[in-house]
Amino acid sequence: MRRAKHVPELELTALHLQHDKTGADYLHIARDDKNNVFSIGFRTNPPDDTGVPHILEHTTLCGSQKYPVRDPFFKMLPRTLSNFMNAFTSSDHTFYPFATTNKQDFYNLMSVYLDATLHPLLRSPDFAQEGWRIGPENPSASPDQERGKDRLVFKGVVYNEMKGQTSDASYLFHIKFQKCILPSLNNSGGDPQHITDLTYGQLKAFHSSHYHPSNAKILTYGDLPFETHLQEVAKVIEQFPRIQADEDIKRPISLDTGPHHVTVEGPLDPLVDPSRQLKTSTSWLMCDTSDVLENFSVGVVASLLLDGYGSPLYRNLIEAGIGLDWSPNTGYDGSGKTGIFSIGLTGVKPEDIPRVTEVVDRTLRDIHREGFDRSKVDGILHQLDLALKHKTAQFGLSLMHRLKPAWFNGVDPFDSLAWNDTVSAFKERFAQDRYLESLLEKYLFTDKSLVFTMTPSANYQEELETEESARFARKLAEVEARAGGSEQARQELEKGELELQKIQDKAKGADVSVLPTLKVADIPRERDTKSLRHADVDGVQVQWRTTSTNGLTYFRAINPIVGMPHELRNYIPLFNDAIMRLGTKEQTMEQIEDRIKLKTGGISTSYHLSTSPSDIQTCSEGFAVSGYALDGNVPFMYDLLRTILYETDFDSLEAEGKIRELLQSEASGAVNSIAQSGHSYARRFAEAGLSLHGRYAEETTGLSQVRLIAGLASRPLSEGLGDVIDKLKSIQRLALTSGGSLRVAITAGSESTQMNEEELSKFLRTLPAAPSLPVTDSSGPVSAQPTKTFFRLPYQVYYTGLAMPTVPYRSQRGASLQIVAQLLTHKHLHHEIREKGGAYGGGAYCKGLGGSFGYYSYRDPNPQNTFRIMASAAAWGRDHVWTDGDIREAKLSVFQSLDAPESVSEEGMTQFSAGITEEMQQTRRAQLLDVGVGDIRRAWEYLLEGMEKRQLVVLGEERDWARPEDGWQVVDLGVSPAGVEVEEAS
């Protein structure tokens, strides 16, 4: 034991220990929280750009000495009730965390994690599967795919993952910026152009030198006995001798001879004006982050300069039209040894690049002269105070994510935990004359900066493909030289691929009983219910959840709108953005933002959509409003909601320009947003053909919404946005009104119940009456017909989604379909799509309330192979012999999310938002627990019939097999300005 510290404001006690023999660093955080957390991490400075830390993260999870089954990490997923399991490769460290509320589960997973990281098998086939290899594109092709069977390609899960990552221009900008300012810190994720240089021997050597207790930082959190943790950890690590830990903390380059100017190339964005394709940023080196007070203070300065529409840099850079949005690296990064502050823009014209630095410098000097507004600092501190009071379900994981990067970069974790000490010291410094202004002068009034710019290349994608082809030819030539000729090399590669498949297929049905597991008996038969009270306040139904909230009140309201006009529904997301942007006739948005920060923890509005628990073709839609505040500030919260909802001025002279600014900013990041979660967009578009809920969700949050925003953003100035503003004003009249079916939920402490009822009554009495709707939406039930849709997008890999309609939430069949989705994912699809197919992810899903079942793949190099797997999945399940153990594991998987701990603010929200009562939830719980082999058998037959109505969607670079004559509808997201089509950017 090195030391201990009690932190009353966080209700925790921290214990810092060091293992005598190995020097392993250990931090335990004791807190009255049943959601216990474990993490083991290692400093893993990458020696090059081959991605060895990332590939090692994957391969350590492919089997270990104590658990020699193939892929124990994924095979543990259905044997646990954990609410979080993952592994992360950061820029300079790798860590493996999990969280669970079950004591036995905690020690099961701790054993698996410790053995996986410290005693992995690291077999050559695992490296080939997870890292990279050369092999036939589709060695098990069906007859109609024979022509691609013999094509040799680069393969590997991480290789394809990073090809997908580099399709995201935001990621490219950030990683290339990091390479410039921190050249000693290589790309830990791996650059596809260098991943293929990594050898199996290098992987094993990197593990030996880095995954060792002497180089480890271990963290535990929660209410389980600390002494047991120590005993379990000690049994594993005491076998190791002490070695020299990697203590090399990477630092940025010196900018003393600045300004430094660096320009690199990146891809075109097909949804952005061709004249506004540049991204640029200016960066400065700040304090040593081990100076916790100064690090905190610089973070406050960054928030004052950048946060919100009223911030000075937003007004002078984005509102002024120099850029469309912030660059990916904008803000203060205090995660490294030296803090880095960046101010940058996307959507910049070439001629405006010099203006960016000029405007930034002028703005900073104006602020230095005029001084920071004290009330804005108070608003930031108020937000931090509320964040401490807000009871989250994942407090331990959040704490871990905040501590680990700093801990690996030399920051004392006790200093990071001493929140009140830091804030008190800040207030004391801030009370001194011009403290924050002095930080501007100290760090930003200098030419010691890096100006980093990314320019567009119309041939970027083509250049990547050319480079990959040339690199592939070189690697293949190396194999041919070693094998003694091209034919011998092909035979060797095909043989290697088939041998890998045999290993994979053998592992699919292998005995995994060596792995620890929970039992269905560990799942409580009765769900943990929360006491709710329902009452009438001024004719409005109110759900009350009375519990300990640390003096906070949480408010939600849903206003269902029957017959929502179609021409308005699609504009609700824009309305939600606009009312937080425009301001009123009496107040600017800056003034409103300041009041929100000073008086609330945040307020928001959103589109509400929920399927009937009894009929998948019936759904409720409308408008949702939420906010939370200290009990004493509830009246201010309601006043702010009234202000933004009813007083936002859509008729001001500036309104149209600000709305256009919102549209252009949204469009500028759309292609990158899709690249980050393309499978979700594919699934959503597929579900649009199944039900009204699916159709409305796609219109408001899917590819249709992207297409709408892109079209409006590219509209010529001469056409104006008058029709758009008229729609937004119509939504304003509908948003929150009295009468009808308005319902409210309040979560608060018992001490504030009377006050909350009085203030809610006052608020409700001010609501306007609902207007009559001029147009009635004529949408009828959706009759699902099989379709195949291909969206052309400039990505190096593919995203797929297949969906079919199923049954309502209250149908007993829904429980067996949920179990089947888990069986397919863990027993078949993960193996076929990820392990054998090389996609980063793939599986099945069942939306119990949405009434849909489907399949997906993510960063997939071979979608045709995936379609074949999806099409035959139900038949495979029907023919497979299922055991009670298989069904047990599927049930555990389902209950991981059902029984995951909830934040206080979320308690009772399933009933409030979706109309699923406690009785319905208990019935579904019993149905899930009672699913048997007979139910599973009937589910397979149901899914086989459902394929007749399946909707298939693919996102990615167009391929010749997606032909209209074969039933494919090929779609562009929309025409970008000046007629630039998607294919021109690919």
Side-chain angles (χ1 to χ4, degrees):
M1 172 78 72
R2 296 180 63 184
R3 54 199 173 138
K5 183 180 182 68
H6 181 59
V7 186
E9 65 269 26
L10 298 180
E11 301 175 326
L12 61 82
T13 298
L15 308 172
H16 190 194
L17 302 95
Q18 189 173 55
H19 190 239
D20 291 335
K21 182 178 179 183
T22 65
D25 221 3
Y26 192 119
L27 181 66
H28 177 69
I29 299 173
R31 193 169 188 260
D32 185 17
D33 186 344
K34 66 179 182 179
N35 197 23
N36 288 267
V37 175
F38 171 86
S39 171
I40 182 169
F42 309 91
R43 189 189 307 282
T44 50
N45 287 317
D48 47 40
D49 290 335
T50 59
V52 60
H54 188 187
I55 295 172
L56 182 58
E57 175 221 308
H58 281 240
T59 49
T60 55
L61 302 176
C62 288
S64 63
Q65 291 179 13
K66 188 175 180 181
Y67 305 107
V69 300
R70 202 157 195 278
D71 210 356
F73 178 82
F74 283 98
K75 287 184 171 63
M76 274 301 294
L77 287 173
R79 300 170 72 87
T80 169
L81 286 172
S82 65
N83 53 80
F84 186 87
M85 277 179 68
N86 216 327
F88 298 95
T89 302
S90 296
S91 58
D92 57 4
H93 64 281
T94 306
F95 60 108
Y96 299 75
F98 68 80
T100 181
T101 59
N102 184 288
K103 179 179 179 180
Q104 184 59 53
D105 203 22
F106 183 90
Y107 292 112
N108 287 351
L109 289 170
M110 177 190 281
S111 176
V112 172
Y113 270 55
L114 287 171
D115 204 57
T117 53
L118 297 174
H119 298 292
L121 298 178
L122 296 183
R123 294 163 293 205
S124 177
D126 300 328
F127 170 70
Q129 172 185 289
E130 298 296 321
W132 76 277
R133 66 188 186 278
I134 295 174
E137 184 175 30
N138 195 4
S140 55
S142 57
D144 63 332
Q145 295 172 304
E146 284 296 321
R147 60 193 177 88
K149 183 176 181 180
D150 292 328
R151 178 171 177 247
L152 296 173
V153 295
F154 282 132
K155 307 179 81 170
V157 172
V158 170
Y159 185 76
N160 288 315
E161 177 189 353
M162 298 313 296
K163 283 183 71 174
Q165 191 79 345
T166 53
S167 294
D168 179 348
S170 294
Y171 168 82
L172 273 179
F173 181 91
H174 193 269
I175 205 71
K176 291 189 175 187
F177 162 75
Q178 287 288 329
K179 190 71 173 176
C180 287
I181 202 162
L182 258 169
S184 62
L185 189 60
N186 294 300
N187 184 345
S188 61
D191 182 340
Q193 297 184 9
H194 297 282
I195 287 174
T196 51
D197 293 330
L198 182 65
T199 67
Y200 172 54
Q202 289 170 336
L203 179 87
K204 294 188 70 174
F206 191 82
H207 176 270
S208 296
S209 58
H210 290 79
Y211 278 47
H212 189 284
S214 300
N215 197 43
K217 295 188 185 299
I218 301 168
L219 180 146
T220 51
Y221 163 93
D223 64 357
L224 290 176
F226 169 53
E227 295 76 14
T228 309
H229 296 352
L230 282 183
Q231 292 169 9
E232 295 300 315
V233 171
K235 282 192 297 187
V236 177
I237 68 174
E238 66 187 8
Q239 308 164 22
F240 290 83
R242 184 187 287 255
I243 66 169
Q244 177 60 48
D246 182 357
E247 298 177 352
D248 182 15
I249 297 176
K250 302 297 184 181
R251 296 175 183 269
I253 59 171
S254 170
L255 298 178
D256 288 348
T257 58
H260 297 255
H261 292 266
V262 176
T263 300
V264 299
E265 286 191 340
L268 272 170
D269 189 326
L271 300 183
V272 174
D273 184 338
S275 70
R276 306 198 68 162
Q277 293 277 340
L278 274 72
K279 301 175 177 68
T280 188
S281 68
T282 302
S283 303
W284 298 265
L285 304 184
M286 310 299 277
C287 63
D288 187 314
T289 54
S290 61
D291 185 340
V292 174
L293 173 57
E294 187 133 322
N295 192 45
F296 176 86
S297 302
V298 171
V300 171
V301 169
S303 295
L304 293 168
L305 292 174
L306 295 164
D307 289 356
Y309 295 117
S311 66
L313 286 169
Y314 185 94
R315 290 198 312 268
N316 293 346
L317 290 171
I318 297 177
E319 188 175 308
I322 300 175
L324 299 178
D325 203 351
W326 298 121
S327 64
N329 62 336
T330 293
Y332 179 57
D333 179 2
S335 63
K337 180 62 175 173
T338 301
I340 300 171
F341 180 55
S342 302
I343 302 169
L345 297 171
T346 66
V348 182
K349 297 178 180 178
E351 61 269 24
D352 284 340
I353 291 293
R355 286 185 62 201
V356 176
T357 53
E358 294 169 5
V359 171
V360 167
D361 184 69
R362 184 174 68 248
T363 303
L364 294 177
R365 294 186 182 278
D366 288 346
I367 294 167
H368 181 264
R369 184 179 63 255
E370 297 167 7
F372 287 107
D373 186 336
R374 173 173 287 276
S375 67
K376 294 183 185 296
V377 177
D378 292 340
I380 292 172
L381 296 178
H382 181 251
Q383 294 298 301
L384 295 173
D385 184 45
L386 290 193
L388 289 181
K389 292 179 178 292
H390 178 53
K391 290 187 173 183
T392 68
Q394 298 292 356
F395 182 87
L397 283 170
S398 298
L399 199 63
M400 177 205 70
H401 282 292
R402 189 163 70 87
L403 292 176
K404 277 269 174 140
W407 193 11
F408 274 104
N409 278 282
V411 178
D412 187 335
F414 277 27
D415 289 344
S416 298
L417 287 169
W419 191 252
N420 275 357
D421 293 347
T422 302
V423 173
S424 297
F426 171 79
K427 289 178 178 178
E428 184 178 334
R429 288 281 186 90
F430 183 58
Q432 300 173 8
D433 189 38
R434 297 179 62 78
Y435 168 58
L436 295 182
E437 292 79 7
S438 71
L439 294 178
L440 290 179
E441 189 173 343
K442 180 177 181 180
Y443 292 114
L444 304 182
F445 287 1
T446 175
D447 284 336
K448 298 175 182 179
S449 61
L450 171 66
V451 180
F452 181 81
T453 302
M454 180 179 280
T455 61
S457 169
N459 302 318
Y460 190 80
Q461 185 74 17
E462 181 181 326
E463 290 165 358
L464 286 181
E465 293 171 359
T466 300
E467 186 281 331
E468 185 179 47
S469 295
R471 177 164 39 90
F472 178 83
R474 291 195 303 271
K475 291 296 179 181
L476 184 58
E478 292 174 9
V479 179
E480 291 172 346
R482 187 174 62 246
S486 60
E487 186 58 33
Q488 293 91 329
R490 177 176 291 277
Q491 291 175 4
E492 177 183 310
L493 293 169
E494 289 178 348
K495 180 182 177 183
E497 189 73 15
L498 291 175
E499 288 176 350
L500 177 59
Q501 281 199 348
K502 288 178 183 177
I503 293 171
Q504 293 167 332
D505 288 337
K506 183 180 178 181
K508 186 176 183 180
D511 178 14
V512 296
S513 58
V514 68
L515 289 172
T517 184
L518 295 183
K519 303 179 180 65
V520 173
D522 293 310
I523 304 172
R525 183 83 184 176
E526 301 295 320
R527 68 185 304 272
D528 182 17
T529 59
K530 306 298 181 184
S531 176
L532 302 175
R533 178 171 64 90
H534 295 86
D536 182 289
V537 176
D538 291 347
V540 173
Q541 282 297 307
V542 181
Q543 173 183 293
W544 294 90
R545 167 67 179 140
T546 303
T547 186
S548 174
T549 62
N550 282 337
L552 295 173
T553 291
Y554 299 91
F555 165 83
R556 282 183 176 83
I558 293 175
N559 185 33
I561 300 174
V562 179
M564 172 85 73
H566 171 76
E567 64 271 19
L568 297 187
R569 179 184 301 112
N570 298 359
Y571 286 83
I572 290 178
L574 178 59
F575 172 81
N576 292 327
D577 290 338
I579 61 175
M580 299 302 292
R581 174 69 188 97
L582 299 185
T584 71
K585 291 180 179 178
E586 305 297 329
Q587 299 179 76
T588 65
M589 198 63 229
E590 179 181 4
Q591 292 171 322
I592 295 171
E593 284 178 336
D594 288 347
R595 290 178 60 206
I596 290 173
K597 289 178 180 177
L598 279 166
K599 298 298 184 182
T600 78
I603 57 177
S604 65
T605 61
S606 61
Y607 173 65
H608 168 73
L609 181 63
S610 180
T611 302
S612 165
S614 304
D615 179 8
I616 65 171
Q617 290 299 340
T618 300
C619 67
S620 170
E621 62 176 334
F623 203 77
V625 179
S626 64
Y628 76 99
L630 291 168
D631 293 339
N633 286 335
V634 167
F636 297 102
M637 176 181 69
Y638 287 137
D639 182 59
L640 283 161
L641 286 170
R642 273 192 297 266
T643 298
I644 65 166
L645 285 169
Y646 309 131
E647 298 177 23
T648 294
D649 187 5
F650 288 99
D651 295 319
S652 70
L653 295 175
E654 299 85 12
E656 181 170 320
K658 291 178 179 179
I659 292 170
R660 189 179 294 276
E661 168 196 310
L662 287 172
L663 291 167
Q664 291 176 339
S665 175
E666 186 73 18
S668 72
V671 170
N672 298 329
S673 296
I674 297 170
Q676 292 166 12
S677 54
H679 62 306
S680 297
Y681 281 92
R683 281 167 40 171
R684 202 172 295 129
F685 193 86
E687 291 163 7
L690 307 181
S691 65
L692 286 178
H693 182 285
R695 179 188 297 173
Y696 297 165
E698 162 60 26
E699 290 176 359
T700 53
T701 61
L703 294 168
S704 299
Q705 180 69 196
V706 172
R707 182 159 42 187
L708 172 68
I709 296 300
L712 293 174
S714 64
R715 183 183 286 188
L717 285 170
S718 57
E719 291 186 18
L721 295 173
D723 59 324
V724 174
I725 290 174
D726 287 343
K727 290 183 175 68
L728 299 181
K729 291 164 69 175
S730 295
I731 295 171
Q732 187 178 33
R733 290 189 288 270
L734 294 172
L736 197 63
T737 57
S738 61
S741 303
L742 176 68
R743 62 185 187 270
V744 169
I746 299 286
T747 300
S750 57
E751 70 279 2
S752 65
T753 300
Q754 182 177 346
M755 176 277 296
N756 266 302
E757 188 165 343
E758 293 171 355
E759 293 301 329
L760 177 61
S761 177
K762 293 177 187 177
F763 175 65
L764 294 175
R765 290 198 296 268
T766 67
L767 300 183
S772 57
L773 293 174
V775 179
T776 299
D777 188 10
S778 59
S779 298
V782 174
S783 178
Q785 300 296 325
T787 62
K788 297 191 293 187
T789 309
F790 193 108
F791 281 89
R792 292 186 288 200
L793 285 163
Y795 304 145
Q796 299 181 66
V797 286
Y798 295 83
Y799 305 86
T800 69
L802 184 153
M804 63 188 83
T806 56
V807 295
Y809 180 84
R810 301 190 73 176
S811 169
Q812 185 168 359
R813 174 170 279 158
S816 58
L817 291 173
Q818 278 188 268
I819 299 299
V820 159
Q822 296 301 320
L823 289 172
L824 279 175
T825 296
H826 294 293
K827 300 297 183 180
H828 182 55
L829 297 174
H830 172 81
H831 170 76
E832 296 292 333
I833 296 174
R834 178 184 165 112
E835 292 183 351
K836 292 173 66 176
Y840 182 50
Y845 69 96
C846 177
K847 290 190 173 179
L849 182 59
S852 63
F853 187 98
Y855 308 97
Y856 66 92
S857 70
Y858 179 65
R859 293 180 180 167
D860 188 346
N862 194 349
Q864 270 190 300
N865 183 55
T866 299
F867 305 156
R868 178 183 58 80
I869 295 165
M870 291 175 174
S872 62
W876 178 88
R878 177 198 59 196
D879 298 337
H880 188 76
V881 178
W882 296 102
T883 67
D884 291 339
D886 294 330
I887 297 173
R888 177 201 70 220
E889 291 183 357
K891 290 177 181 179
L892 288 169
S893 296
V894 169
F895 279 91
Q896 288 171 7
S897 57
L898 281 183
D899 286 355
E902 289 182 309
S903 298
V904 167
S905 60
E906 295 300 317
E907 294 173 353
M909 287 303 107
T910 300
Q911 178 166 334
F912 176 71
S913 298
I916 303 177
T917 64
E918 292 282 358
E919 292 75 18
M920 291 181 196
Q921 292 178 66
Q922 180 57 45
T923 298
R924 172 53 71 93
R925 184 182 190 86
Q927 291 170 346
L928 287 165
L929 288 170
D930 293 340
V931 167
V933 173
D935 302 301
I936 297 300
R937 189 181 305 115
R938 288 185 288 274
W940 298 124
E941 298 297 338
Y942 182 83
L943 291 178
L944 283 168
E945 295 173 8
M947 283 296 286
E948 297 176 2
K949 298 180 178 180
R950 58 100 183 100
Q951 314 282 307
L952 176 61
V953 179
V954 185
L955 280 58
E957 185 181 20
E958 187 175 5
R959 296 286 291 269
D960 57 5
W961 46 259
R963 296 183 293 263
E965 56 266 31
D966 292 331
W968 285 95
Q969 180 184 7
V970 181
V971 181
D972 282 323
L973 266 185
V975 178
S976 58
V980 176
E981 299 290 334
V982 170
E983 60 261 32
E984 293 181 13
S986 63

